[in-house]
């Protein structure tokens, strides 16, 4: 899977476990809601600085957003 899509899925998963809308995450992180949407869809390529802002807002380590999960093919 493309890393941008995986990061987007990770952001979406953590956001939803918090019960937050994209708008709430945007407010908490200082980013625009449409940018959050693009990240979650995998169409944006966030910088490490943006990933850190998202991780801080979500109260998770940045590695959580970068987690690629298990290798495929097994």
């Amino acid at each position: 899977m493309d890393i941008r899509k995986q990061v987007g899925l990770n952001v979406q998963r953590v956001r939803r476990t918090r019960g937050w809308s994209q708008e709430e995450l945007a407010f908490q992180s200082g980013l625009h809601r449409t940018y959050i949407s693009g990240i979650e869809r995998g169409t944006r390529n966030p910088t490490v600085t943006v990933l850190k802002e998202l991780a801080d807002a979500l109260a998770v380590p940045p590695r959580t957003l970068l987690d690629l999960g298990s290798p495929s093919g097994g």
Side-chain angles (χ1 to χ4, degrees):
M1 177 180 291
D2 182 293
I3 190 167
R4 290 173 296 181
K5 289 192 184 296
Q6 188 61 55
V7 166
L9 289 173
N10 291 339
V11 169
Q12 185 179 72
R13 176 181 48 80
V14 176
R15 173 180 63 78
R16 287 181 173 171
T17 63
R18 301 275 183 278
W20 288 0
S21 64
Q22 288 179 346
E23 190 172 337
E24 181 64 21
L25 178 54
F27 176 77
Q28 295 293 333
S29 65
L31 300 168
H32 197 277
R33 189 203 54 81
T34 59
Y35 189 69
I36 300 291
S37 175
I39 291 171
E40 289 188 1
R41 288 190 327 268
T43 60
R44 293 290 193 156
N45 191 17
T47 64
V48 293
T49 304
V50 167
L51 288 176
K52 174 75 166 106
E53 290 170 2
L54 288 170
D56 287 349
L58 293 165
V60 297
R63 70 177 170 265
T64 300
L65 304 181
L66 293 169
D67 185 13
L68 299 178
S70 311
S72 59

